[in-house]
Amino acid sequence: METIDQLSAQIVWSPLDLEGGESREIYCANDRQLFDIEAFLGTNLPSDYKWFMKNYGMRIIEDDRVNLNLNGVSMSFLSMFSAADDALIGTEMWSDSKNQSPRILPETLIIADSISNDLVIMDLSETNYGKIYFISNLKAWGTFEDDDYMVLLAESFTELMSKIVHNDNPTEPDFNIPDDMIC
């Protein structure tokens, strides 16, 4: 089984504009940011996700293999994962306990989102620790009891990255998604 560092090395990343002042640190998370996420959620982040955030973070993927489809729903927004501070802010906002109808379950972290509010989340609950799910913007908020509220994408962050790296045909569906979640 390939490790997160091996998989990350196989992805085509947008080059850093070093002359323009870009550096790895602009895109990567630091220990404090990751600690803040863990403190908010009350649990540790999986080691593969922490490693990725410290080494690649929100760096842009320029690899056609990232254009995964969920039975017709493009996952091209996975070309950039959320920065650690954005992941925390989004998670705080969408899970706000004062919100009568929160968008995400407790103990989940938003790791990517689309302009239309589709979400990719990491479940950090004891029973589903580390699993990666898709939530369509078409599902009503607070419908957590629906069987298809969250669609499992991968058992771990490493497995999600493996699905990107080993995606031989970006135009074909790579995951199953219930019909009622498709536009």
Side-chain angles (χ1 to χ4, degrees):
M1 179 177 185
E2 295 168 297
T3 61
I4 191 66
D5 55 324
Q6 293 169 328
L7 293 165
S8 297
Q10 295 178 57
I11 291 178
V12 179
W13 299 94
S14 176
L16 295 176
D17 181 8
L18 299 175
E19 291 178 13
E22 284 187 343
S23 66
R24 212 174 61 85
E25 290 76 26
I26 292 172
Y27 296 99
C28 298
N30 60 44
D31 288 330
R32 181 65 200 183
Q33 291 168 322
L34 296 172
F35 173 81
D36 288 346
I37 293 171
E38 291 176 330
F40 174 76
L41 294 170
T43 189
N44 293 324
L45 294 168
S47 59
D48 57 350
Y49 179 72
K50 285 172 70 168
W51 182 92
F52 178 83
M53 292 304 292
K54 286 180 166 184
N55 290 278
Y56 289 91
M58 62 174 265
R59 190 159 168 206
I60 298 170
I61 300 172
E62 288 189 350
D63 196 319
D64 289 338
R65 296 174 298 179
V66 77
N67 295 318
L68 303 171
N69 287 295
L70 295 169
N71 289 354
V73 177
S74 172
M75 295 294 284
S76 60
F77 67 89
L78 280 180
S79 63
M80 184 174 77
F81 290 94
S82 297
D85 53 351
D86 289 339
L88 177 57
I89 291 167
T91 298
E92 288 173 336
M93 181 179 74
W94 296 108
S95 66
D96 185 356
S97 60
K98 296 174 188 162
N99 186 345
Q100 292 181 356
S101 186
R103 181 75 170 111
I104 61 174
L105 290 166
E107 298 180 308
T108 57
L109 174 69
I110 297 171
I111 63 171
D113 60 355
S114 72
I115 195 165
S116 62
N117 292 325
D118 292 314
L119 303 174
V120 176
I121 63 164
M122 178 182 294
D123 191 330
L124 297 169
S125 68
E126 190 175 315
T127 55
N128 293 309
Y129 185 79
K131 291 183 179 182
I132 309 295
Y133 294 92
F134 170 77
I135 301 174
S136 170
N137 68 342
L138 301 177
K139 294 303 285 183
W141 290 29
T143 59
F144 305 134
E145 65 281 353
D146 289 358
D147 289 339
D148 62 356
Y149 167 71
M150 299 188 308
V151 177
L152 181 66
L153 298 180
E155 295 289 329
S156 67
F157 190 78
T158 298
E159 184 180 313
L160 178 65
M161 294 300 284
S162 179
K163 287 183 176 190
I164 293 170
V165 166
H166 299 291
N167 181 14
D168 295 329
N169 190 347
T171 61
E172 293 296 318
D174 294 293
F175 303 104
N176 291 322
I177 186 169
D179 289 340
D180 65 345
M181 292 181 83
I182 300 172
C183 298

